[in-house]
Amino acid sequence: MDLERALSKLRFDDQVIGYSLMTKAGRPFVSFAFPDELFPRVKDSINLYKSDLRLMTIDTDRGLVVLSPVDENWILTVLYVPELQLGLAIAKTKNVLRLLEGVELPPPPEEFEDAAEDNLQVLESIAMKAAATEAPPPEPEPAPAEALSEPSATADAPAETEVTSPESFSVTTTTVPERGEAYASALSLESDLYSEMKSAYRNFGFDVLMLVDGSKNVEEIADTMFQSTERVSDLLKWAASRKIVTVPEGGEEAVAAEEAAMGRFVKCPKFEGDLSKIQGPDIEIVKLCNGSLTPEQIAEKTGVAHPKVIQILAKYRKYGMRMIGKTR
Amino acid sequence: MVKIENPLLLGLYAQTVDQVLSSTSSIDEANQRLREIGKELGSQVYLNSEIVEKTKETVTTREDVAKLIDVVFRTLYNKRPTDVDMDTARGSVRIADKDCIWCQDVNLEGMRGFGYCEVFSGMIEAILEFKDVQAKVFQEASRATGADNCVWNIRLN
């Protein structure tokens, strides 16, 4: 479950003391090392703002608490170490929220034990049950005339369509997505398809679709939006499964190739020189060069752009920076 | 048979080209894929060679770009480019190599527009990026498809 993955990102973050996924009423549902004495205070703050709650920070003597609504039912509460800068704490929280963007969380069960360990499983089983009993996809409405952009889309609404899973589509950076039969209806604000997209991807889906014109490839779309190609690909795969866009279907070969992969061979920088000789902000990067992180991972961890990381690593070549080959 | 410099490199690169061609569906896509491979190689080259020590920290003018390319050629190929043209096209630097190392003894027919040596475009693009220069690099002509020189166009943004 993606929720678990997102939460584990917090769990393994050294600067996170604890976290709690809370209901909108301020009850802790799943918690990890979040100090109990802070719950009343957090609950008060949640109740103070109710539905108006946006991102909020509370400075406590245990550290900095960042509250952020995940959706209409859930609030993510993270306690960071006191010395962490406010901006960084907010950015870290936003990163986790971004991971949760495609995840549909079911509402909390009516009765549950506060912060019990197996609550996550409870949630998961609710989600599975909901998916199993979910009504077949509603008949897409015919696109309203004013929202049309392609004549074919305004023709008959696609009949009950077989939903192919997003994974069966192959999208690479050079794939050029084209508008599909449900394109216009996905962009019309009243359609069910639009609300489905909105709940899964917020406005990101709309923005990507606007850029799909049959000539831009995935990389160009991602560049235009300053987003990662992975995120754009994921959205496009979903859109392809709903016939909003068309991309080549992956087929079994592509899937088999992925499964057969033995892992990857990567090169990780290792600094064997004298750390005390390194001055300025570069030290943050050089410190992470322990031979187990790739430059990409260092870039992700520090928020520094990848080319910049390479630039810095190269600078310290003569002071003892080595590249170590590894498989993972 | 022509004497080939570094058959290991050529053998490995031929494998790469083969894999790219068998997994892409158009020439543009294949070119792009080779450039992407080149970009990854570019990081490795930059991290494992003396390019960084032999070049200025900031590259701003087209002359600087030309000098950087000169260093890249000397470091990787132990020679200088055949021609560096900064006048013909505005905003572009064109590099020509009449003895390109990547496509020695390769003759492709019916592959118009395929940049056999596009991998080098990606490498230059990456190295320029490490010098804070945003550029698009692509191969304009390749000896592999019948041209006299391999030519790369560095379009500076």
Side-chain angles (χ1 to χ4, degrees):
Chain A
M1 188 166 163
D2 290 338
L3 173 62
E4 219 169 332
R5 192 167 62 94
L7 293 182
S8 69
K9 199 176 165 84
L10 288 172
R11 187 175 294 210
F12 293 114
D13 190 325
D14 293 342
Q15 286 161 324
V16 172
I17 299 177
Y19 62 81
S20 176
L21 184 67
M22 303 175 87
T23 65
K24 64 173 175 205
R27 282 184 65 192
F29 187 71
V30 181
S31 292
F32 172 75
F34 197 90
D36 284 340
E37 73 262 27
L38 289 182
F39 279 127
R41 197 153 158 207
V42 171
K43 190 174 175 177
D44 286 348
S45 309
I46 290 177
N47 286 334
L48 194 62
Y49 287 93
K50 293 239 161 62
S51 58
D52 285 337
L53 179 73
R54 297 274 180 273
L55 205 72
M56 179 165 84
T57 57
I58 311 173
D59 206 5
T60 71
D61 49 358
R62 302 292 298 267
L64 188 65
V65 179
V66 180
L67 296 179
S68 52
V70 179
D71 58 21
E72 53 188 8
N73 296 312
W74 296 103
I75 294 163
L76 181 65
T77 309
V78 188
L79 174 63
Y80 291 97
V81 291
E83 58 272 18
L84 188 68
Q85 281 175 11
L86 183 66
L88 270 177
I90 292 175
K92 276 171 184 278
T93 311
K94 281 194 169 161
N95 271 339
V96 175
L97 286 182
R98 210 167 292 144
L99 285 178
L100 286 172
E101 247 172 46
V103 184
E104 208 167 310
L105 295 179
E110 281 175 19
E111 281 177 29
F112 63 88
E113 194 187 327
D114 278 3
E117 285 228 338
D118 52 359
N119 272 347
L120 206 54
Q121 278 77 35
V122 174
L123 201 61
E124 198 166 346
S125 69
I126 300 177
M128 268 168 2
K129 228 181 280 165
T133 55
E134 204 168 88
E139 195 97 11
E141 286 172 28
E146 64 274 15
L148 68 106
S149 50
E150 299 244 310
S152 65
T154 53
D156 294 343
E160 267 314 301
T161 45
E162 245 178 72
V163 177
T164 326
S165 96
E167 283 74 40
S168 61
F169 293 91
S170 115
V171 176
T172 64
T173 48
T174 53
T175 304
V176 179
E178 290 181 35
R179 296 175 181 181
E181 51 188 281
Y183 181 82
S185 91
L187 289 188
S188 94
L189 302 187
E190 293 92 34
S191 73
D192 293 338
L193 209 47
Y194 177 82
S195 23
E196 186 185 345
M197 176 167 76
K198 175 102 182 171
S199 69
Y201 297 96
R202 313 218 176 141
N203 289 331
F204 177 69
F206 192 89
D207 295 345
V208 173
L209 292 185
M210 291 301 286
L211 291 168
V212 170
D213 57 5
S215 68
K216 286 190 195 61
N217 67 26
V218 171
E219 192 182 17
E220 286 160 344
I221 294 177
D223 280 356
T224 314
M225 297 180 61
F226 299 104
Q227 292 285 346
S228 74
T229 49
E230 289 80 34
R231 199 159 172 241
V232 173
S233 309
D234 284 350
L235 180 272
L236 287 172
K237 283 183 195 170
W238 172 83
S241 73
R242 299 291 190 275
K243 297 199 185 322
I244 300 167
V245 300
T246 54
V247 299
E249 215 158 317
E252 279 167 23
E253 263 172 55
V255 177
E258 221 163 85
E259 276 171 9
M262 293 241 311
R264 295 200 57 189
F265 175 74
V266 292
K267 289 211 162 173
C268 304
K270 183 167 189 205
F271 187 67
E272 292 170 342
D274 185 356
L275 265 181
S276 64
K277 297 225 170 94
I278 293 167
Q279 312 239 309
D282 292 353
I283 184 97
E284 291 303 318
I285 306 266
V286 178
K287 261 204 266 179
L288 292 171
C289 298
N290 53 10
S292 65
L293 296 172
T294 61
E296 287 80 6
Q297 286 169 320
I298 294 178
E300 197 179 314
K301 251 185 143 67
T302 52
V304 176
H306 177 245
K308 191 84 203 164
V309 170
I310 301 279
Q311 210 175 37
I312 293 170
L313 298 181
K315 212 158 93 182
Y316 293 104
R317 234 170 56 85
K318 51 184 173 191
Y319 301 108
M321 185 69 78
R322 304 272 168 273
M323 295 300 285
I324 315 257
K326 268 183 174 274
T327 52
R328 54 177 56 199
Chain B
M1 180 124 164
V2 200
K3 182 174 174 277
I4 297 226
E5 267 179 72
N6 208 337
L8 279 179
L9 171 82
L10 282 202
L12 286 170
Y13 187 56
Q15 285 275 339
T16 305
V17 172
D18 174 39
Q19 274 175 17
V20 166
L21 287 178
S22 63
S23 62
T24 48
S25 53
S26 71
I27 288 202
D28 283 347
E29 203 183 322
N31 289 344
Q32 174 65 22
R33 187 70 201 105
L34 285 175
R35 283 193 293 265
E36 281 167 15
I37 293 173
K39 280 194 92 162
E40 283 175 33
L41 273 175
S43 317
Q44 299 303 332
V45 165
Y46 195 70
L47 286 169
N48 292 295
S49 68
E50 287 172 345
I51 294 174
V52 63
E53 283 104 48
K54 288 189 177 159
T55 48
K56 292 212 287 187
E57 192 148 322
T58 47
V59 167
T60 41
T61 61
R62 285 200 287 167
E63 287 72 16
D64 289 345
V65 171
K67 272 187 205 147
L68 174 69
I69 299 299
D70 216 73
V71 172
V72 172
F73 261 74
R74 268 184 289 155
T75 310
L76 297 182
Y77 311 142
N78 202 16
K79 66 172 184 181
R80 311 186 66 168
T82 310
D83 183 40
V84 176
D85 169 9
M86 289 186 275
D87 307 319
T88 319
R90 268 171 58 121
S92 273
V93 178
R94 276 204 177 101
I95 314 291
D97 186 353
K98 69 176 172 46
D99 299 307
C100 167
I101 193 142
W102 300 96
C103 59
Q104 296 167 65
D105 210 22
V106 175
N107 292 299
L108 296 173
E109 278 172 26
M111 289 290 281
R112 246 176 83 103
F114 177 54
Y116 188 88
C117 331
E118 281 282 18
V119 72
F120 188 56
S121 308
M123 288 166 64
I124 302 180
E125 198 170 303
I127 292 172
L128 285 169
E129 211 175 326
F130 305 141
K131 295 287 181 193
D132 292 328
V133 180
Q134 297 301 320
K136 281 269 173 250
V137 185
F138 56 94
Q139 186 168 26
E140 272 186 354
S142 171
R143 282 163 41 99
T145 45
D148 293 335
N149 287 299
C150 284
V151 180
W152 293 269
N153 187 330
I154 305 174
R155 191 180 293 155
L156 301 164
N157 293 346

